[in-house]
Amino acid sequence: MPQAKREDGVWRAAMRVWAVWAILAFSLTSYAQEPSPAGGNYLDLSEGYYLAKDSPSLDVLLRDEWTIEFWIYLRRIPPPPPDSELHGSPIRAAVSVIIEKVGSYVLYLASYYDKWPDGKKYWLVDLRFLHYIEKENVPYLSLGITYFPDADPKIAKIPIIDPGRWHYIVFQQKGNKRLIGIDGKWGRESELKGEWGKLDILDSNRPFYLGGRALDELFVEPSWIRVALPRIVPLDAMIDELRISNVARYQGIPPVPEGRFKTDLHTLALWHFDEPPGSLRYEDSSGNGNILFSYRFFPVDLKNKTPLLWGKIKQMP
């Protein structure tokens, strides 16, 4: 048998073995995964990002009082880039966008190494919500936590958003007071002072993104206090029951909700994600028409291999 044919046969056999293992691994992962605490289906963000067209209900109507809450299940935390810099220098981070209204706000997960003054290099993760500032036009003021993902959860003083289970997350603002709550067990309040004492969500004509962002979307590098030079990576996670409200719903630590989130007069967007898995569109239960479309809904520029977004976005219902 010619050498080329033997090599081709070996390669094909190896690919068949890999395919069987991949299917088996996927099946075991699906079987072991916890169902959503809210019941029903959920949205798998590892399949790519989703977007909704611009709407006042997603930015300007929030003003300086709002609540964003959701359930999230991380399959894994993005590994930090190996070229993270030393303490005192810009830190290169692997950043996964959870939610972004470009020009208004962004909620992200960042993973990076940082070498501290004690000489040790630590793996850190940020879960943060950032405001865009009008005079700077960059995401600047942040609300969130920084934690050690490999710490022992039993002795950690701050919560760990660890993979392999569902977490209930709340971000909230009311005037100059802001709040983050995690799993109904931990919360942190902060207060905006000085020139930032009153900070409204900015109006923006850009889309609302979930689980990533378009490659051709203009990227404005945030003025992050600890993390710079971000490397955008996919979010390997599931999300359920995402609700955006124009009121601060909670005082103190937000309790874990039971079942599906409810719609009321203050609900500006609510996605239950109970459509069949793999759907290309997800309905908004608030009545404001914030339909989420998969990036796969849009045609592809075969030359650049990127979705042709803007023409289609303007035609979205």
Side-chain angles (χ1 to χ4, degrees):
M1 179 184 295
Q3 179 69 21
K5 288 188 176 180
R6 282 200 303 270
E7 291 179 353
D8 182 64
V10 171
W11 181 84
R12 289 177 181 275
M15 289 302 295
R16 284 195 293 269
V17 172
W18 178 89
V20 170
W21 277 107
I23 293 171
L24 179 61
F26 177 80
S27 301
L28 291 174
T29 301
S30 300
Y31 179 79
Q33 181 180 304
E34 299 178 28
S36 168
N41 290 332
Y42 50 79
L43 177 58
D44 189 343
L45 296 175
S46 66
E47 298 176 356
Y49 65 85
Y50 293 75
L51 68 158
K53 68 177 182 180
D54 175 43
S55 165
S57 60
L58 296 174
D59 48 40
V60 68
L61 292 182
L62 301 179
R63 298 187 175 88
D64 68 341
E65 184 171 357
W66 49 266
T67 304
I68 296 177
E69 55 190 318
F70 53 91
W71 285 99
I72 191 167
Y73 182 108
L74 295 175
R75 286 197 184 93
R76 69 182 188 116
I77 297 172
D83 55 347
S84 296
E85 300 295 335
L86 300 181
H87 179 76
S89 301
I91 300 169
R92 183 173 293 280
V95 177
S96 292
V97 172
I98 302 174
I99 296 170
E100 182 172 15
K101 183 66 167 68
V102 181
S104 298
Y105 51 86
V106 58
L107 197 163
Y108 68 89
L109 193 73
S111 173
Y112 56 97
Y113 291 120
D114 191 9
K115 190 172 184 179
W116 285 18
D118 62 6
K120 296 181 180 179
K121 188 164 80 169
Y122 294 92
W123 179 20
L124 299 174
V125 172
D126 289 354
L127 174 68
R128 295 198 176 274
F129 177 97
L130 279 78
H131 283 274
Y132 276 73
I133 306 300
E134 190 166 15
K135 67 179 182 179
E136 302 290 345
N137 194 33
V138 295
Y140 188 75
L141 286 181
S142 69
L143 168 65
I145 61 169
T146 299
Y147 64 93
F148 300 89
D150 49 3
D152 184 346
K154 296 180 180 179
I155 62 174
K157 295 183 179 180
I158 57 176
I160 296 174
I161 315 301
D162 52 331
R165 68 187 186 94
W166 287 94
H167 296 276
Y168 172 58
I169 310 294
V170 178
F171 287 88
Q172 175 180 289
Q173 178 179 337
K174 183 175 183 180
N176 67 340
K177 298 184 182 300
R178 302 184 298 169
L179 167 72
I180 176 175
I182 298 175
D183 292 336
K185 301 177 180 178
W186 183 92
R188 173 182 290 168
E189 293 182 301
S190 61
E191 187 173 335
L192 297 168
K193 298 181 179 180
E195 62 178 313
W196 308 119
K198 178 173 172 51
L199 182 66
D200 289 357
I201 294 289
L202 295 183
D203 188 11
S204 163
N205 65 356
R206 310 302 288 177
F208 173 92
Y209 287 101
L210 176 63
R213 64 202 321 275
L215 294 177
D216 61 346
E217 185 69 63
L218 177 64
F219 180 74
V220 180
E221 185 169 318
S223 297
W224 296 343
I225 297 174
R226 292 191 54 79
V227 179
L229 304 175
R231 178 180 297 163
I232 305 298
V233 298
L235 180 63
D236 193 2
M238 282 77 72
I239 195 167
D240 199 13
E241 296 298 311
L242 170 57
R243 181 168 65 179
I244 300 177
S245 309
N246 66 349
V247 66
R249 292 187 176 274
Y250 305 105
Q251 293 182 354
I253 299 176
V256 173
E258 296 182 2
R260 304 201 321 167
F261 292 167
K262 303 297 190 296
T263 301
D264 57 24
L265 294 176
H266 297 291
T267 306
L268 298 190
L270 172 57
W271 296 280
H272 296 300
F273 302 119
D274 285 336
E275 287 83 350
S279 296
L280 297 182
R281 59 181 282 166
Y282 289 84
E283 301 296 329
D284 170 21
S285 298
S286 73
N288 290 314
N290 296 309
I291 302 172
L292 281 170
F293 288 90
S294 167
Y295 79 99
R296 294 172 294 164
F297 177 82
F298 302 97
V300 173
D301 178 350
L302 296 179
K303 180 179 179 181
N304 298 313
K305 296 184 179 181
T306 58
L308 298 172
L309 293 180
W310 285 111
K312 282 291 181 181
I313 288 174
K314 294 178 180 178
Q315 300 172 22
M316 288 163 61

